[in-house]
Amino acid sequence: MEYDMIEIGSKVRKVLPKKRFWHTVGVAYTAADMALIFGENQTRALVAGLLHDCAKYLTAEEQLAECIRHNLPVSEIEQKHPSLLHAKLGAYYAKKEYGVKDEGILSAITWHTTGRPEMTVLEKIIYLADYIEPMRNQPAKPSLDEIRKLCFTDLDRAVYMVAWNTLDYLKSENTPTDPETEKTLQYYAQIAAPNNE
Ligand code: DGI
Ligand code: FE
Ligand code: FE
């Protein structure tokens, strides 16, 4: 195995709060199961899952400061809602502090919060596993268990459902949405929404 999962897992365990660490483990194993179904490499899925929130121990302000310090681009919405930055900062740490060179793993970490149009299989898997891992229990339409099943049968349809629910939630909270989140919904609605919607 190219990656030492025990080493990576132990290191994230040290930096992340307890609950966040176990969420990470849930994402890793959910992603590895989905990888098996959809012909993706299970090790890549485990590594991306374990590291997807590795910058989440920092406050929003610290994430912004870290991005500026490392010259990572910060968009207008990220400036206003810097907690969005944990995704691209996480990819940066995955590379620099955990030695991940696989660009596919790094992009799955980068896009796990907003998604994007035309995601790779690994990107879709991490985006979805983050939403459905067993410890999540947010309300969703259809139910979270229905979406969980869809994640093992139809990735594009599942991305559409998750993007729809995410935007619905953000709008209900009056939280401004990242244009990438909007683009994700538009794209997956086009290719995977049922005809009657
Ligand atoms: O890091 P997690 O909590 O596991 O999950 P995540 O990376 O999907 O982040 C979820 C948070 O990100 C949640 O509080 C909503 C927020 N978020 C997702 N899309 C957008 C967003 N926040 C804003 N402002 N705009 C978005 O488009
Ligand atoms: Fe996250
Ligand atoms: Fe997460």
Side-chain angles (χ1 to χ4, degrees):
M1 207 182 268
E2 193 191 338
Y3 293 95
D4 187 339
M5 227 59 72
I6 307 290
E7 196 58 39
I8 294 174
S10 306
K11 203 165 159 181
V12 277
R13 186 177 193 163
K14 267 187 215 146
V15 297
L16 291 182
K18 220 186 265 180
K19 213 170 147 190
R20 181 62 51 184
F21 171 71
W22 287 107
H23 158 69
T24 292
V25 171
V27 173
Y29 283 103
T30 303
D33 285 350
M34 292 170 73
L36 192 62
I37 302 283
F38 295 105
E40 181 49 80
N41 179 291
Q42 285 197 294
T43 304
R44 295 178 84 217
L46 274 179
V47 173
L50 278 177
L51 293 177
H52 82 284
D53 275 341
C54 73
K56 197 102 181 182
Y57 66 95
L58 297 172
T59 65
E61 292 68 31
E62 288 168 339
Q63 289 171 33
L64 182 58
E66 275 290 277
C67 284
I68 292 167
R69 188 160 83 88
H70 297 298
N71 287 318
L72 302 177
V74 176
S75 70
E76 207 177 307
I77 179 87
E78 289 168 340
Q79 186 94 39
K80 289 195 193 114
H81 294 266
S83 63
L84 284 164
L85 288 168
H86 78 277
K88 66 171 71 155
L89 185 59
Y92 177 83
Y93 288 164
K95 188 173 185 172
K96 299 287 174 187
E97 292 180 16
Y98 295 84
V100 176
K101 294 190 189 79
D102 181 330
E103 290 296 333
I105 294 177
L106 299 175
S107 80
I109 300 172
T110 299
W111 298 106
H112 86 264
T113 302
T114 61
R116 64 167 167 175
E118 297 186 61
M119 281 190 276
T120 64
V121 172
L122 187 61
E123 286 168 4
K124 288 185 239 188
I125 286 175
I126 299 301
Y127 176 79
L128 293 171
D130 191 26
Y131 193 82
I132 64 155
E133 64 94 357
M135 292 206 296
R136 293 280 207 205
N137 64 354
Q138 70 275 31
K141 277 189 226 163
S143 70
L144 193 52
D145 279 350
E146 285 301 315
I147 295 179
R148 286 186 168 116
K149 285 182 203 159
L150 203 54
C151 287
F152 287 85
T153 54
D154 187 338
L155 284 181
D156 289 335
R157 188 77 193 275
V159 169
Y160 163 67
M161 294 294 185
V162 169
W164 190 92
N165 275 285
T166 301
L167 278 164
D168 186 55
Y169 167 76
L170 292 169
K171 281 176 187 157
S172 75
E173 298 276 304
N174 280 323
T175 307
T177 49
D178 190 313
E180 286 300 332
T181 310
E182 305 265 3
K183 280 193 238 164
T184 303
L185 178 61
Q186 266 169 30
Y187 178 82
Y188 286 93
Q190 232 170 38
I191 67 165
N195 292 333
N196 59 354
E197 281 182 23

